[in-house]
Amino acid sequence: AGIRLRDLVRLAKIRWRIEHDYRELKTGLGLTHFEGRSWSGWHRHVTLVSAAHLFLTELRLTSPKVVGGG
């Protein structure tokens, strides 16, 4: 009840960004494609997918025309 409209809008935008990134991780980078059985294999898979996502995010922020964002 005591939250400012500005803060509420900021939080709503953060939620949208998280949902968008998660969808990109699943559909574009293969987060859900792991079919192994070991913890270490799953951990490697998630780490590589996260690194790929970081790379694309950095590329998108520094060179938007390369990734198609501009």
Side-chain angles (χ1 to χ4, degrees):
I3 192 166
R4 297 182 309 185
L5 179 61
R6 180 182 195 180
D7 294 333
L8 194 59
V9 169
R10 184 180 56 82
L11 291 172
K13 287 181 179 183
I14 289 172
R15 179 182 170 151
W16 179 86
R17 180 81 252 170
I18 291 169
E19 289 178 7
H20 178 269
D21 287 348
Y22 185 64
R23 187 177 334 112
E24 183 179 43
L25 284 164
K26 282 176 38 179
T27 59
L29 297 172
L31 180 64
T32 57
H33 293 174
F34 180 72
E35 295 183 11
R37 298 182 185 180
S38 69
W39 165 257
S40 61
W42 177 84
H43 193 267
R44 279 188 216 107
H45 177 73
V46 170
T47 301
L48 290 173
V49 169
S50 298
H53 186 257
L54 174 62
F55 174 76
L56 289 176
T57 301
E58 286 289 325
L59 192 62
R60 193 176 297 125
L61 291 173
T62 57
S63 305
K65 292 181 180 179
V66 174
V67 182

